[in-house]
Amino acid sequence: MNTLTDNEQILIVDDEHAIREMICLALDEQNYQCVQANSAHIAEDIIRKAPPDLILLDWMMPGISGVDFARRLRRDKDSQNIPIIMLTAKSEEEDLVRGLNSGVDDYLTKPFSTRELIARIHALLRRSSPRNSDCVLSQSGLSLDNISHRVKGGSQNIELGPIEYKLLRLFMENPERVYSREQMLNNVWGDNIYVEERTVDVHIRRLRKALEPTGHNKLIQTVRGSGYRFSSQQGSS
Amino acid sequence: MNTLTDNEQILIVDDEHAIREMICLALDEQNYQCVQANSAHIAEDIIRKAPPDLILLDWMMPGISGVDFARRLRRDKDSQNIPIIMLTAKSEEEDLVRGLNSGVDDYLTKPFSTRELIARIHALLRRSSPRNSDCVLSQSGLSLDNISHRVKGGSQNIELGPIEYKLLRLFMENPERVYSREQMLNNVWGDNIYVEERTVDVHIRRLRKALEPTGHNKLIQTVRGSGYRFSSQQGSS
DNA sequence: CCAGCCTGTAACAAAACTGTAATAATGATT
DNA sequence: AATCATTATTACAGTTTTGTTACAGGCTGG
């Protein structure tokens, strides 16, 4: 829904609890959202209900093996495009051949470092989810360019800190919409972060001050009792 | 050379016939044109005669190792810009570290899936094909010549190390665009290669220092919280 | 094998940014 | 008008991010 704070969901399929926990811990730190499954069967269920953004799949599991499971996922239209990273302890030639056809996106041979795991997850997600926030937003002579991360009032460059930038982007993505302080916190700061709601006021102030030189501060309107709004029209309520 | 059927040519360097064949088969399906070499020596010959668009290079080969070969290719101006993907059976941290400095663009650990292989080849070719590899980029009196590999600030020659050169080229290919540290690592150092993000800062510093004598260091701007940008305009945000 | 260049890291310094609380304004209600 | 509720401003100390430097290898080319 929104590209400012995007926790991607990762499904870990492994029969060993310890390994799942370890991975989970590492991913948590990177702000990925983890879901665990100790068997292919359970994993299947989860995938059907809430498709994750990426799957970490153990090669060897009781019941359905990782390879077979991967193959099955690839056949199903719904799960076809979910990136899969296979976790394996093997590195033998025969497995190479078998693995070549199972259609997974990457391999990691145990033991692996969390560093490497995260790097690969990152790389895969980056490839599979093209961000669509690459555009220039503009309104009443104020423009915000996501590629160059630049804000201009007329032809004048405007300096903004990271938070003010995100705030303005949020506003400009939905002009006229009133955002409550809580919504702003969730969108700009992040979902699971605690800061005082009043802090928003301060950043609104900072944003307004930065926009003052070009007069665009008037675009940030206070909606008493509700929050703030980005609008080129007059008045508040 | 031939725009009607623009099959990109890929050179596979591996001493194992079976692997070469397997890869070849997969690439054929994707309409890539394959050339095989079972040793670095032969590969060298092929590259000299008909430079491929991309090289798949096995890490372990009798005679010259893949790492050494890659390094040699990187030193030679003619082969410097050909993307290289390293294929390795190892997954030890230390080996990866050794591979880092060889200047390859990406690496794949066996066993890998054809899906993954193709995805990475695709990604690399896409990234490197529109590269203005045979023209002179210039901006605000700073010019970078991809043919002679020379950088000039006004009429003054500027000496840059390989990394700083690539960094500057990346910047000048997309002025105004903000690059995150991760993006820079992927583009300049290579995909799936792990070095500290802060290392980028150091090289930015080195680049700036080298550009200082002609005042062009101001073109490299910091975008706090996001990365860096090459721009002739004022300010950052 | 040595001298010299290039790299990646770590460590410390310098800047920029943030969150909070305290206080002033402003609006709404009675 | 008085009072309460909500928002605006400001100052400041704590954090985070970036700048800079030094240094220990690795690789190159004698």
Side-chain angles (χ1 to χ4, degrees), chain A residues 142 151-153 156-161 164-165 168 203-217 220:
Chain A
L142 182 66
V151 177
K152 289 184 171 188
Q156 190 174 346
N157 278 328
I158 294 173
E159 312 276 332
L160 294 178
E164 283 76 53
Y165 179 83
L168 182 58
H203 283 280
I204 287 287
R205 160 68 175 149
R206 285 168 180 158
L207 178 54
R208 279 171 170 163
K209 193 181 241 173
L211 297 178
E212 225 160 65
T214 58
H216 290 98
N217 55 324
I220 311 290

Side-chain angles (χ1 to χ4, degrees), chain B residues 43-111:
Chain B
E44 211 161 12
D45 223 48
I46 293 173
I47 293 169
R48 202 180 353 258
K49 285 175 185 158
D53 298 294
L54 186 147
I55 300 173
L56 293 176
L57 186 56
D58 190 39
W59 179 292
M60 301 237 293
M61 285 187 299
I64 309 171
S65 85
V67 187
D68 292 336
F69 187 47
R71 246 194 277 278
R72 194 184 318 170
L73 290 176
R74 282 292 173 253
R75 264 196 306 265
D76 187 358
K77 279 198 172 45
D78 295 323
S79 55
Q80 200 161 42
N81 289 316
I82 303 175
I84 299 176
I85 296 179
M86 189 80 90
L87 307 177
T88 166
K90 303 185 181 184
S91 62
E92 308 296 318
E93 186 101 352
E94 73 175 302
D95 290 323
L96 295 182
V97 171
R98 280 222 314 146
L100 298 188
N101 299 320
S102 59
V104 305
D105 297 278
D106 199 354
Y107 78 87
L108 269 169
T109 306
K110 297 177 187 174

Side-chain angles (χ1 to χ4, degrees), chain A residues 74 80 91 93 95-96 99-100 103-107 109 113 115-116 120 122-124 126-127 147-150 152 157-160 162 165, chain B residues 16 22 91 93 96 107 109-116 120 176-178 182 186 192 194 196 221 223-224 226 229 231 233-237:
Chain A
R74 282 292 172 255
Q80 205 163 40
S91 62
E93 177 83 2
D95 293 319
L96 183 156
L100 270 177
V104 308
D105 296 275
D106 204 352
Y107 281 86
T109 307
S113 67
R115 236 182 204 188
E116 188 165 4
R120 303 229 177 173
H122 231 69
L124 263 183
R126 173 163 35 84
R127 213 172 9 239
I147 297 174
S148 64
H149 259 243
R150 207 157 225 157
K152 289 184 171 188
N157 278 328
I158 294 173
E159 312 276 332
L160 294 178
Y165 179 83
Chain B
E16 286 182 73
M22 194 183 332
S91 62
E93 186 101 352
L96 295 182
Y107 78 87
T109 306
K110 297 177 187 174
F112 50 79
S113 67
T114 54
R115 193 187 147 101
E116 172 69 357
R120 302 222 187 161
E176 296 301 326
R177 168 171 176 168
V178 172
E182 186 186 337
N186 289 330
N192 297 298
Y194 184 75
E196 287 293 330
Q221 303 178 346
V223 181
R224 193 163 238 269
S226 298
R229 166 176 61 195
S231 167
Q233 297 174 46
Q234 285 286 335
S236 53
S237 75

Side-chain angles (χ1 to χ4, degrees), chain A:
Chain A
M1 168 138 229
N2 99 54
T3 52
L4 295 178
T5 63
D6 45 0
N7 290 24
E8 272 130 330
Q9 199 177 61
I10 296 177
L11 173 60
I12 307 170
V13 190
D14 196 315
D15 55 310
E16 287 180 74
H17 180 265
I19 294 197
R20 289 203 310 270
E21 273 307 318
M22 185 178 54
I23 294 176
C24 221
L25 220 70
L27 296 188
D28 250 11
E29 254 173 35
Q30 302 292 315
N31 281 333
Y32 288 115
Q33 189 188 334
C34 296
V35 182
Q36 300 185 18
N38 62 11
S39 73
H41 183 68
I42 293 178
E44 211 161 12
D45 222 46
I46 294 173
I47 293 170
R48 206 186 340 265
K49 284 175 186 156
D53 297 296
L54 186 146
I55 301 172
L56 290 176
L57 186 56
D58 191 37
W59 180 292
M60 302 237 292
M61 284 187 301
I64 309 172
S65 85
V67 186
D68 294 334
F69 186 48
R71 249 186 222 117
R72 194 190 311 174
L73 290 176
R74 282 292 172 255
R75 268 198 299 268
D76 187 0
K77 209 174 278 172
D78 296 323
S79 55
Q80 205 163 40
N81 292 316
I82 304 175
I84 300 176
I85 295 180
M86 189 77 91
L87 306 177
T88 165
K90 304 183 180 182
S91 62
E92 310 298 319
E93 177 83 2
E94 72 174 302
D95 293 319
L96 183 156
V97 177
R98 288 216 309 158
L100 270 177
N101 300 317
S102 65
V104 308
D105 296 275
D106 204 352
Y107 281 86
L108 266 176
T109 307
K110 297 175 187 174
F112 50 80
S113 67
T114 55
R115 236 182 204 188
E116 188 165 4
L117 173 67
I118 286 167
R120 303 229 177 173
I121 288 175
H122 231 69
L124 263 183
L125 285 178
R126 173 163 35 84
R127 213 172 9 239
S128 66
S129 68
R131 306 238 178 275
N132 58 344
S133 56
D134 288 356
C135 58
V136 180
L137 302 165
S138 62
Q139 180 82 224
S140 312
L142 182 66
S143 74
L144 180 149
D145 184 335
N146 256 312
I147 297 174
S148 64
H149 259 243
R150 207 157 225 157
V151 177
K152 289 184 171 188
S155 60
Q156 190 174 346
N157 278 328
I158 294 173
E159 312 276 332
L160 294 178
I163 288 189
E164 283 76 53
Y165 179 83
K166 286 189 200 166
L167 246 186
L168 182 58
R169 181 169 63 188
L170 178 66
F171 278 139
M172 294 186 74
E173 275 168 353
N174 281 77
E176 301 302 331
R177 167 171 174 176
V178 176
Y179 284 97
S180 69
R181 292 181 175 73
E182 187 186 341
Q183 287 173 320
M184 290 187 244
L185 284 176
N186 288 334
N187 279 296
V188 174
W189 276 259
D191 277 313
N192 315 317
I193 247 153
Y194 179 74
V195 286
E196 288 292 329
E197 287 207 338
R198 292 263 139 254
T199 300
V200 173
D201 298 35
V202 177
H203 283 280
I204 287 287
R205 160 68 175 149
R206 285 168 180 158
L207 178 54
R208 279 171 170 163
K209 193 181 241 173
L211 297 178
E212 225 160 65
T214 58
H216 290 98
N217 55 324
K218 283 195 283 289
L219 297 175
I220 311 290
Q221 304 178 346
T222 302
V223 182
R224 201 177 170 79
S226 300
Y228 298 91
R229 166 176 60 193
F230 180 89
S231 167
S232 51
Q233 299 169 43
Q234 283 291 334
S236 47
S237 72

